[in-house]
Amino acid sequence: MNGVHDMGGMHGFGKVEPEANEPVFHAPWEGRVLAMNRAMGYLGLWNIDIGRFSRETLPPHVYLGSSYYKKWELGLTNLCVQFGLIGDDELAAGHALHPTKPVPRTLTAAAAPKILSRSSFERPASAPAKFKVGDCVCTRNINPPSHTRLPRYARGHSGVIECIRGCHVFPDAVVTGKGEDPQWLYTVVFEARELWGDAADPTVKISIEAWEPYLEAARVGSFDERSGAQPIPN
Amino acid sequence: MQLRVRALETILTEKGYVDPKALDFIIDAYETKIGPHIGARIVAKAWADPDFKNGLLADATAAVGSLGFTGRAIHLIAVENTPRLHNMVVCTLCSCYPWEVLGLPPVWYKSAPYRSRAVIDPRGVLADFGVTLPVDTEIRVWDSTAETRYLVVPMRPAGTEGWGEEQLARLVTRDCMIGTGLALPPGAVP
């Protein structure tokens, strides 16, 4: 979705302000929110992409006006309600009022160490990769109202395949209920001037990780010479 | 927020969805066990041991796994800074960060100023951190849009020849492993 979470290239947010000797958590509740997110994610009802989408769909003024862990708390609460685990009446009461809904599994203290390692997102491929390292590609101009990991600033631009990262769970499919639908994942590198125009710094390159459905072969003639790679003949 | 979060935890606990002891374990792990000291040890080893560095740059998950830290750093990619190339990592869409080797990200990494500017004005962002690179150094910004995670291997400071890994690790800051800083000069640590 073309939401405010997709911040790459926006102006007006000001300077980056690092905090000296920053604590891991600024208040105890932040740690509880982080841990609850991990523990609830472990239930197996939703994956990381659905969790991200839950935060992205917060109203723009809430997203921009909330601290990081506040957004996590809002996103988690929304997911719990959406999946029927808790009710608004329970949130208002601050206690459980309804029976527990059966869930695939829960995170016990004994199993908690497992949560410190993420599981792999790589899956067996059903077809060979369409692109190879060095290929010139074009990112598609897509604007799905649901979750996507193709940032707006990188849509409709020419880049070069720098690396093939394997076949990975495709977030766009997961969030629209189509399952994991694994797709080849590539590192695609762009010249800053391709993304931001001729005034951009010629010494800067930017890369994204792009799943194959985000890409198409660059057309001969549409190729920008700056990228230094060869277009694929049609 | 404290009350709101306590209410949510109470409901989830009463319904058996979360075990407060499991939450305690996770919080303790990120407060006391998993942090940038892990990444610093990895970088120091890469500086001191060329074979390890080659392995790290080829397959960081395997190389880091061989060191036996707490969490397995899946889909980890190490990128090396050189006099000609400076790498910098961002997640413009959310807050993707190599938790297993750097711990939880600082607030600035998750903030709108960093997420918005890193890809369009990386030299300006570096200036916010007090870092100025030569004008002809190539800057590569890695936007972590998938489950791959990036660890920057900063340049080893001059004047550290013969140093041991533990000594070297003290020069490796969190920011230099994100690419918003440089490793400390040898005189910076006692």
Side-chain angles (χ1 to χ4, degrees), chain A residues 5 9 22 32 52 63 68 90 95-96 100-101 117-118 121 149 153 162 201 203 205 207 209, chain B residues 4 9 14-15 17 24 72 75 95 107 115-116 119 123 128 139-141 143 145 147-148 150:
Chain A
H5 68 282
E22 183 178 334
R32 305 312 286 179
R52 285 191 186 116
Y63 187 99
Y68 180 70
E90 292 177 309
H95 281 283
T100 300
K101 187 175 170 178
S117 294
R118 291 188 309 146
F121 288 80
R149 297 292 288 179
Y153 77 84
E162 187 179 69
D201 186 337
T203 63
K205 291 189 172 74
S207 64
E209 309 289 283
Chain B
R4 225 186 116 92
E9 183 177 339
E14 287 176 354
K15 300 188 99 166
Y17 298 132
D24 294 342
R72 179 164 183 258
H75 308 312
S95 55
V107 167
R115 286 165 55 189
S116 61
V119 289
R123 284 185 195 272
D128 290 350
I139 297 181
R140 170 62 177 277
V141 182
D143 192 355
T145 55
E147 295 313 322
T148 41
Y150 290 92

Side-chain angles (χ1 to χ4, degrees), chain B residues 14-36:
Chain B
E14 287 176 354
K15 300 188 99 166
Y17 298 132
V18 303
D19 174 350
K21 288 197 171 57
L23 305 186
D24 294 342
F25 176 88
I26 295 167
I27 293 164
D28 179 67
Y30 288 111
E31 279 190 325
T32 66
K33 295 185 182 68
I34 304 175

Side-chain angles (χ1 to χ4, degrees), chain A residues 74-104:
Chain A
L74 293 168
L76 176 62
T77 302
N78 288 347
L79 279 175
C80 288
V81 172
Q82 189 185 322
F83 280 81
L85 301 178
I86 60 175
D88 289 328
D89 52 347
E90 292 177 309
L91 285 168
H95 281 283
L97 303 172
H98 307 293
T100 300
K101 187 175 170 178
V103 290

Side-chain angles (χ1 to χ4, degrees), chain A residues 97-178:
Chain A
L97 303 172
H98 307 293
T100 300
K101 187 175 170 178
V103 290
R105 59 182 189 174
T106 56
L107 186 72
T108 61
K114 281 198 280 188
I115 212 83
L116 303 180
S117 294
R118 291 188 309 146
S119 48
S120 174
F121 288 80
E122 193 163 0
R123 300 288 183 270
S126 57
K130 198 165 149 189
F131 304 109
K132 61 182 190 303
V133 171
D135 280 354
C136 189
V137 292
C138 222
T139 49
R140 292 180 192 275
N141 179 14
I142 56 169
N143 289 275
S146 58
H147 182 66
T148 184
R149 297 292 288 179
L150 180 59
R152 262 177 288 181
Y153 77 84
R155 296 176 190 166
H157 285 291
S158 299
V160 177
I161 301 279
E162 187 179 69
C163 192
I164 305 178
R165 300 292 181 192
C167 191
H168 283 230
V169 174
F170 185 37
D172 305 46
V174 172
V175 172
T176 45
K178 295 175 188 143

Side-chain angles (χ1 to χ4, degrees), chain B residues 39-104:
Chain B
R41 281 187 50 198
I42 294 165
V43 168
K45 190 170 180 62
W47 284 347
D49 178 347
D51 288 341
F52 178 78
K53 187 168 92 175
N54 291 337
L56 182 71
L57 296 174
D59 183 347
T61 295
V64 170
S66 73
L67 302 180
F69 293 114
T70 303
R72 179 164 183 258
I74 196 84
H75 308 312
L76 183 69
I77 296 153
V79 292
E80 184 184 20
N81 285 351
T82 69
R84 300 180 57 84
L85 173 68
H86 182 87
N87 294 284
M88 194 167 138
V89 182
V90 64
C91 173
T92 61
L93 295 173
C94 50
S95 55
C96 298
Y97 189 78
W99 287 20
E100 296 90 348
V101 291
L102 296 186
L104 299 177

Side-chain angles (χ1 to χ4, degrees), chain B residues 11 20 42 45 71 82 99 128-130 135 161 169 179-180 182 184:
Chain B
I11 299 165
I42 294 165
K45 190 170 180 62
T82 69
W99 287 20
D128 290 350
F129 285 84
V135 288
E161 294 75 16
T180 54
L182 306 175
L184 300 173

